[in-house]
Amino acid sequence: DFGNPADWEKLASHYLPAVVTVIVIFIIAIILAGVLSRLTTSALKRARLEETLAIFIGRMMRWGILLLALVVCMSKFGVDTTSIAALIAGIGFAIAMGFQGTLGNLAAGFMLMVFRPFKVGDAVKIDGELGKVAEIELFSTFIDTFDNRRIILANANVFGSKIENLTFHKTRRVDVNVGVSYEADLDETRRVLVEAVTRCPGRLDDPEPAVALLDMGAEYHCYCSDLTCTMPVGGKFGPSQRIVYEGV
């Protein structure tokens, strides 16, 4: 009979301490989760981890602390937390099975942001697609091709395929194949090619440009002119190749 004040006093004395404890635990958990989430995100950013991944880890830590606090609070009211943990594990397993492909992309995105085989702005060739990296997200990587097309690749495909980073190093070697006839003088051909390569803009002095006989075909001798020049991200080899051909 809740109309009896004695019953209210008994109920309050039984549940009030647990209610107060739960409120205190939740307040502390909310504050602690927010502080640790911000500290973790800031620390990961200072460690030069990808910003998206740093924010994701910070948020996961926040929700993990709140979930733990919820389980502790429920135990204060006599709820069997063992069954709750088993239920959460079962739900998590079912979700993981249902979103197996999505979680695979998530895991691959995590690995890409940790190992960083490329970054935004790099010129790459991934899974047969050539272009500049526009965005790197947890589930997908976005590439803009040089003819201005947007390619969206699932991170699982990106991480599992061959990745060619064209702008990882500050310098690149440019190879130009020049075909000449059988009647051409070899020494004169070499001199012309060396002179043409030497006039290439942005060419490095070390290593020196090299001219070598590549092969001898049925109709012409083929020479390969190897020149090394400084290449910025997205740079083009066209001017260097044009100077070599004009020199010949």
Side-chain angles (χ1 to χ4, degrees), residues 93-130:
F93 179 76
I95 293 175
M97 292 299 294
F99 292 91
Q100 186 175 5
T102 303
L103 293 177
N105 288 327
L106 176 63
F110 183 89
M111 299 300 289
L112 287 174
M113 292 178 182
V114 170
F115 292 104
R116 303 182 70 180
F118 54 81
K119 62 182 183 297
V120 173
D122 280 354
V124 296
K125 186 176 182 181
I126 303 174
D127 201 18
E129 301 293 344
L130 179 64

Side-chain angles (χ1 to χ4, degrees), residues 135-190:
E135 299 177 46
I136 306 173
E137 296 185 353
L138 286 175
F139 297 96
S140 304
T141 297
F142 299 82
I143 295 177
D144 289 334
T145 63
F146 295 114
D147 57 351
N148 207 29
R149 291 178 294 120
R150 170 61 62 93
I151 305 295
I152 303 174
L153 300 173
N155 282 338
N157 295 337
V158 174
F159 194 71
S161 64
K162 177 182 176 181
I163 300 174
E164 183 179 354
N165 192 332
L166 305 179
T167 50
F168 182 83
H169 298 290
K170 294 182 179 180
T171 60
R172 283 188 60 194
R173 190 183 76 179
V174 183
D175 296 337
V176 180
N177 296 329
V178 180
V180 296
S181 65
Y182 276 109
E183 290 76 15
D185 181 84
L186 295 182
D187 293 333
E188 179 64 16
T189 301
R190 183 186 299 274

